[in-house]
Amino acid sequence: MTTVPDGRVPLRSVSGELGAFLRHRREHRSPDDVGLPAGGRRRTPGMRREEVALVSGVSTSWYTFLEQGRPVRPSAQVLGAIAGTLGLTDEERDHLFRLAGLVPDAPPTGPERVDPALADLVDALAPRPAYVTAASFDVLALNTAARTLLRGIAPNVALWVFTDPTADEVLVDREEVALGVLARLRSASARHPDDGRVAAVVAQLRETSPEAAAWWTRQDVRDDRSGRKRVRRPDGTVVTLTHTALHPAERPDLTLVVYGPSDPE
């Protein structure tokens, strides 16, 4: 590989390697990994370019140019969002930044993992439904009770509430819940402005949900820690649950949600 006098790799050479790396990772990433439907038969494996662009909050044409090695210069924030969409490890993310000629910075707040002790706590809270989310509302851990009661809530609470028909069956007052989720997501986006995954979830919601797109302009913000919610069980019984949100001291970007005793309707 040739270099320019100051030691940097020429843009054209870097762009070619960058595009090849993105294409390889895209072909090994499933739409299901980011909460998108498979959409029937595919001529090529993995995600489509337009799907990566949608989840990352960029235009399809711009992302296509990036993969094709054209001389476009992504910002650190956009590149971070793409890295999150493709599920890159910290090492792969650093490699991506270097290929783009950017100095790797710290990973976005709230890496997609939880401490094993916190995951064990979530399981131990059964039979109470419990789960842990990142600032982006990605579900990082949940117990069997939550998986059974809140059917389809993983991999992302916000996307589930707005785009999954199952949420209409589970949440008796889905619109009210959706408004609250969106308001908390706006608060999270302000607290974590450099978290590319938060930005990607917001962009995906505004692109795929007319409700989210319309309500986002209302500028609602919330950060409530408790409340009550009417939920329909798999057998059709409607119950009212209390729920409490806690933030671990060592990871304030995470939220542990625990549901309390239920009252039948």
Side-chain angles (χ1 to χ4, degrees):
M1 181 184 298
T2 59
T3 60
V4 292
D6 64 1
R8 293 177 301 166
V9 179
L11 178 60
R12 183 174 183 179
S13 176
V14 166
S15 297
E17 292 187 25
L18 175 63
F21 180 72
L22 289 173
R23 185 164 54 254
H24 179 272
R25 291 299 185 269
R26 173 173 60 81
E27 291 173 351
H28 288 78
R29 184 72 161 166
S30 167
D32 184 61
D33 293 333
V34 294
L36 294 178
R41 298 182 60 185
R42 292 171 177 258
R43 292 180 297 176
T44 57
M47 296 180 67
R48 299 186 177 101
R49 285 173 174 168
E50 57 266 30
E51 291 171 334
V52 175
L54 171 64
V55 178
S56 302
V58 299
S59 71
T60 300
S61 59
W62 186 91
Y63 179 78
T64 299
F65 291 162
L66 190 63
E67 267 203 15
Q68 290 176 341
R70 299 196 189 187
V72 295
R73 293 187 179 276
S75 67
Q77 182 177 359
V78 168
L79 210 60
I82 293 173
T85 299
L86 297 178
L88 301 187
T89 64
D90 290 348
E91 291 78 10
E92 291 169 337
R93 183 177 180 278
D94 287 353
H95 180 65
L96 176 65
F97 270 63
R98 292 189 179 96
L99 287 179
L102 298 173
V103 177
D105 56 5
T109 301
E112 302 304 306
R113 63 178 70 90
V114 295
D115 185 276
L118 181 56
D120 289 343
L121 173 61
V122 171
D123 287 335
L125 286 168
R128 293 191 175 189
Y131 57 87
V132 175
T133 61
S136 61
F137 279 75
D138 282 339
V139 178
L140 308 184
L142 75 166
N143 60 20
T144 302
R147 192 184 302 275
T148 300
L149 181 67
L150 306 173
R151 305 175 292 284
I153 194 172
N156 184 281
V157 177
L159 295 175
W160 174 65
V161 170
F162 279 96
T163 66
D164 190 336
T166 307
D168 280 318
E169 302 173 8
V170 175
L171 302 172
V172 177
D173 307 299
R174 189 202 63 82
E175 182 173 319
E176 178 183 338
V177 174
L179 281 166
V181 167
L182 197 66
R184 288 190 291 274
L185 184 59
R186 177 179 285 281
S187 296
S189 67
R191 290 196 305 270
H192 308 284
D194 298 324
D195 191 326
R197 178 56 182 159
V198 173
V201 170
V202 171
Q204 185 176 350
L205 281 175
R206 298 180 69 183
E207 181 72 24
T208 59
S209 169
E211 283 181 326
W215 294 345
W216 188 257
T217 62
R218 294 168 51 157
Q219 303 290 323
D220 292 339
V221 292
R222 286 175 60 177
D223 194 24
D224 44 351
R225 303 295 180 88
S226 63
R228 298 171 68 85
K229 187 177 300 179
R230 293 197 298 166
V231 178
R232 184 173 290 106
R233 288 174 169 168
D235 64 3
T237 303
V238 174
V239 295
T240 299
L241 303 176
T242 60
H243 58 86
T244 302
L246 306 171
H247 299 289
E250 69 281 3
R251 287 292 306 276
D253 55 302
L254 302 186
T255 302
L256 169 63
V257 180
V258 183
Y259 283 80
S262 61
D263 300 319
E265 292 288 297

